[in-house]
Amino acid sequence: MLLAHGSNDATVPYAAGSHRSCPTNASGWLILFGSYAVYNHMKDLHKDIELITFCGGGHEFSGYLFHQGQQSVLDFVNDVLQGKKFESHIIIPSEKKMAGSGKYLFCK
């Protein structure tokens, strides 16, 4: 599994949380498990997983793998086809300094 996510995404939670941070008593409330939560769960299951985290970044990184990250996708597919086993978390610092960007120790 290959995932890319901004750690300060306000649309889809990076870890776990409600969609657009709506309150739990809102009509249609739904908890979402973002890339970091999925990454940690897959690690616990000892599955092949790669997460690219854009520290301080938001939802604008949702298209990264389709645009700037095409080589990452190609490398990932080649590794899978070659039967390689892997678990990696790639940290990309962002120029954006948003509230809460230090929430994750690896983003400080």
Side-chain angles (χ1 to χ4, degrees), residues 5-57:
H5 210 133
S7 65
N8 281 356
D9 192 330
T11 305
V12 177
Y14 174 67
S18 62
H19 182 257
R20 296 190 181 268
S21 301
C22 69
T24 57
N25 63 350
S27 175
W29 179 86
L30 176 69
I31 192 162
L32 299 176
F33 296 94
S35 297
Y36 189 58
V38 171
Y39 169 78
N40 285 318
H41 183 70
M42 295 300 282
K43 271 186 10 180
D44 291 345
L45 295 174
H46 306 287
K47 301 295 183 183
D48 295 335
I49 182 83
E50 182 171 299
L51 171 61
I52 302 170
T53 295
F54 301 92
C55 287

Side-chain angles (χ1 to χ4, degrees), residues 77-90:
V77 169
N78 284 330
D79 287 347
V80 169
L81 291 174
Q82 293 173 14
K84 292 184 180 177
K85 298 295 179 190
F86 54 88
E87 173 198 307
S88 63
H89 187 182
I90 300 166

